[in-house]
Amino acid sequence: MTSQPTTAPRRTDGGTPKLRLEAVHHAYRDVKVLDGVSLELAAGELVTILGPSGCGKSTIFSILTGTTAPAAGIVLVDGAPLGASSERFAVMPQTDALLPWRRVIDNVTLGLEVQGVSRRDARARVTPLLETFGLDEFTRAYPFELSGGMRQRAALLRTVVQDRSVMLLDEPFGALDALTRTDMQTWLESVWGTFGASVLLITHDIREAVFLSDRVYVLSPRPARVVAEVTVPLARPRRLEDVGSSMFVDIEIELRQILAAIRGRHA
Amino acid sequence: MSTARRPGATADPRPLGRFGWVPALAIIAAAIATWQIYAMRSGVSPQILPSPARVVDAGWAARDALWTNTVATLEETAFGFLVAVVLALGLSLLIDASGILRTALMPLLIGSQTLPLVAIAPLVIIWFGFGLTPKVLLVALLSFFPITVALLEGYQATDPDVERLLMSMGAGRWRRYRSARLPTAMPFFFAGLRIAITYSIVVAIFAEYAGASSGLGIYIEQETHVFRTDLVFAAVLVTTLLTITLFAATYLLERLLIPWYRISRRVDRR
């Protein structure tokens, strides 16, 4: 498959990327999961890893969070090896992973609490963001009292307030119904620019990838390799109407064809 | 709703709403009435089968003795149970945290539950005397196990995504126990507590039966010897009421300590 190395609009040429994976290999027992994955994330960029279900996307995240050690390959954070850096990433797992015994306010401050921030300071840091996330009236609610969309917003707020320079979002809206998912994507696009973090997003939703990303890496089915890199030069902030623009549709079709081709080859 | 259903939440446990206690009370009332009529009509000796009215009368007349002995039994149960809870928490944490300790300790723990009470109760009394200590030990020995097993299953029920999330935040092992594994295990803990509390009183009474200076067990033994069947029944009645009260107390404690659990189950049922 043809690779299309292009420069993302936000990337500062020649600068050290925030995050860089070089030929990362991994296997679980005898099953090869990652077959030399290389990718980059520049500071302030939102990059999507798009691939079929079960292709090993989540393994990349467990390597980045240090849960899994790669069998081979290099992971660089600001140019330094992952193990040597004390840098941590703020992760949003596939399930919202909200703790049912904590009220919303105590769930969103969990990361700060682990960092050793006092409860009072943690709440003070979260409070100005509650309204943006549409949670200001639900701070005293338990997670099981919230709708699916609200739970995802709470999980995202918990990720954002950790104040890390890189956020890893693993299919953040995968569990939502189609309408709520569109709402959440539009909402995220309208606010994420203010967070200032670089974002690596995993999804298998093509439209979500195009709508939110600066660049998209397409992974093959297991064992995963990067088969294409596609830049999305749509101006920000993007609005729902942009989904119908010819540039959006062209990129969407291109990604669809790439995915169809690799799936056809593996079928 | 996206919240996973828990096994207990599928059937409404209170189909009659606030009048859920009516059927239970009706059955008990019917049984007592049948017993009363049989005892009065059949002419059976009260030493063989006293009527419920006679049991209540005799029990009321002997209320001072019953009270003193109940307090003694309650004390043994409470201390034994406390030891059991502390032991279960400590052991379950050790076993859960270490694979080696799991393989090393589990056979011993299961083995401890196969010891016949009839055989060990007199021995423990011989070793530790007629006082409080042997009863506390026996109660603890027989009630720590269900709590330990419940806690172990509770830790295992922790959402792996939550653990990974905490690790990504930089949480160490103790923090993960405090923030995820222990709270997840709490509903299981209370289920284990309820099983254990019903054992505890029976074990305390049996231990007294094997040798004691006071307590409901020794009271029952003494009254049996002098054919005061009515007082034996009265002591049994007190035991039952005590067990039900302690059982209910675990629900109260659960509601106080993990209020979210009841609310979550109520939301599930909607």
Side-chain angles (χ1 to χ4, degrees):
Chain A
M1 177 50 64
T2 51
S3 195
Q4 294 161 298
T6 34
T7 316
R10 283 171 198 245
R11 189 157 27 162
T12 43
D13 281 312
T16 319
K18 190 67 217 162
L19 189 65
R20 185 184 172 94
L21 271 74
E22 264 173 54
V24 170
H25 290 258
H26 194 67
Y28 287 115
R29 297 204 177 82
D30 293 334
V31 183
K32 272 178 107 176
V33 183
L34 302 180
D35 187 20
V37 172
S38 301
L39 53 87
E40 273 183 30
L41 175 68
E45 215 184 4
L46 194 153
V47 166
T48 293
I49 301 175
L50 179 70
S53 297
C55 78
K57 299 185 295 269
S58 297
T59 306
I60 298 177
F61 274 18
S62 32
I63 287 173
L64 289 174
T65 54
T67 331
T68 308
I74 304 170
V75 182
L76 298 172
V77 187
D78 289 321
L82 180 68
S85 130
S86 62
E87 176 93 37
R88 290 194 171 278
F89 309 122
V91 181
M92 179 169 169
Q94 253 177 60
T95 59
D96 52 57
L98 295 169
L99 305 176
W101 50 87
R102 282 175 177 243
R103 297 175 191 276
V104 167
I105 184 77
D106 299 317
N107 257 298
V108 295
T109 53
L110 180 68
L112 294 173
E113 208 177 288
V114 172
Q115 286 175 33
V117 177
S118 77
R119 173 182 279 228
R120 222 176 113 221
D121 292 351
R123 289 194 174 187
R125 270 163 72 174
V126 165
T127 307
L129 289 168
L130 285 167
E131 205 187 325
T132 312
F133 282 73
L135 293 165
D136 45 337
E137 282 168 36
F138 300 94
T139 52
R140 301 288 297 156
Y142 285 108
F144 45 79
E145 297 173 305
L146 302 182
S147 69
M150 273 199 277
R151 292 174 65 107
Q152 292 308 116
R153 282 202 296 267
L156 196 61
L157 178 54
R158 180 188 59 201
T159 318
V160 168
V161 294
Q162 290 176 48
D163 211 15
R164 305 291 190 188
S165 56
V166 177
M167 292 201 287
L168 308 176
L169 313 182
D170 190 355
E171 296 188 19
F173 311 130
L176 300 176
D177 63 88
L179 288 175
T180 316
R181 195 184 311 151
T182 309
D183 285 348
M184 290 292 293
Q185 289 159 355
T186 323
W187 170 81
L188 179 62
E189 167 61 19
S190 69
V191 298
W192 92 268
T194 61
F195 304 152
S198 320
V199 181
L200 200 57
L201 175 91
I202 285 181
T203 188
H204 54 231
D205 181 334
I206 296 172
R207 189 164 287 192
E208 178 171 296
V210 181
F211 188 69
L212 294 174
S213 319
D214 295 311
R215 278 184 305 125
V216 180
Y217 288 102
V218 184
L219 294 195
S220 68
R222 213 176 51 214
R225 282 179 306 108
V226 174
V227 291
E229 182 191 342
V230 175
T231 301
V232 185
L234 284 165
R236 290 190 190 264
R238 297 166 189 167
R239 287 157 307 158
L240 193 54
E241 306 87 86
D242 295 334
V243 174
S245 73
S246 64
M247 188 193 280
F248 193 104
V249 174
D250 286 349
I251 299 171
E252 198 182 333
I253 290 172
E254 184 187 353
L255 287 171
R256 227 171 263 288
Q257 282 168 344
I258 294 170
L259 280 170
I262 53 172
R263 284 164 67 86
R265 202 179 331 134
H266 280 78
Chain B
M1 198 76 216
S2 60
T3 317
R5 279 191 171 273
R6 291 170 190 81
T10 43
D12 192 337
R14 297 169 69 189
L16 301 179
R18 347 183 357 215
F19 299 105
W21 45 270
V22 169
L25 211 65
I27 295 236
I28 294 169
I32 291 174
T34 314
W35 176 5
Q36 179 74 34
I37 292 165
Y38 179 79
M40 279 162 53
R41 294 279 172 83
S42 67
V44 63
S45 152
Q47 286 175 2
I48 308 281
L49 185 71
S51 73
R54 194 187 165 108
V55 168
V56 172
D57 272 352
W60 183 249
R63 59 184 179 277
D64 287 342
L66 273 172
W67 176 249
T68 318
N69 287 301
T70 302
V71 169
T73 301
L74 197 59
E75 200 182 356
E76 295 157 10
T77 310
F79 279 121
F81 201 64
L82 206 66
V83 173
V85 169
V86 172
L87 197 68
L89 272 169
L91 276 172
S92 66
L93 283 172
L94 282 175
I95 291 172
D96 189 65
S98 151
I100 296 174
L101 279 178
R102 178 183 290 266
T103 34
L105 286 177
M106 277 318 271
L108 190 71
L109 296 191
I110 297 166
S112 78
Q113 299 308 297
T114 63
L115 302 174
L117 192 56
V118 209
I120 53 162
L123 278 175
V124 176
I125 306 276
I126 291 168
W127 296 337
F128 296 98
F130 288 86
L132 189 62
T133 317
K135 281 84 177 182
V136 169
L137 285 177
L138 284 167
V139 169
L141 177 71
L142 277 106
S143 51
F144 86 92
F145 190 72
I147 309 175
T148 309
V149 171
L151 277 167
L152 285 173
E153 280 185 25
Y155 301 142
Q156 295 286 324
T158 307
D159 182 351
D161 269 347
V162 168
E163 294 241 46
R164 277 194 286 269
L165 176 73
L166 280 163
M167 278 202 256
S168 80
M169 290 170 170
R173 186 174 238 192
W174 172 234
R175 158 65 72 176
R176 294 204 301 277
Y177 268 98
R178 223 178 66 187
S179 297
R181 289 182 91 80
L182 270 165
T184 305
M186 277 305 111
F188 294 77
F189 169 74
F190 281 101
L193 217 56
R194 278 190 267 284
I195 298 172
I197 200 92
T198 52
Y199 283 3
S200 295
I201 295 194
V202 178
V203 172
I205 287 174
F206 193 89
E208 289 162 357
Y209 202 84
S213 44
S214 63
L216 286 170
I218 200 75
Y219 183 80
I220 289 172
E221 196 195 14
Q222 283 161 357
E223 299 309 325
T224 309
H225 279 310
V226 295
F227 300 106
R228 285 300 302 271
T229 316
D230 47 359
L231 285 177
V232 173
F233 270 105
V236 170
L237 181 66
V238 169
T239 311
T240 309
L241 292 177
L242 204 60
T243 309
I244 293 175
T245 309
L246 290 178
F247 193 80
T250 63
Y251 278 103
L252 192 69
L253 199 65
E254 184 182 71
R255 207 183 279 197
L256 285 173
L257 291 182
I258 50 168
W260 59 272
Y261 185 60
R262 208 169 132 264
I263 307 172
S264 77
R265 296 184 44 141
R266 215 167 47 204
V267 171
D268 273 1
R269 272 203 291 281
R270 277 212 293 257

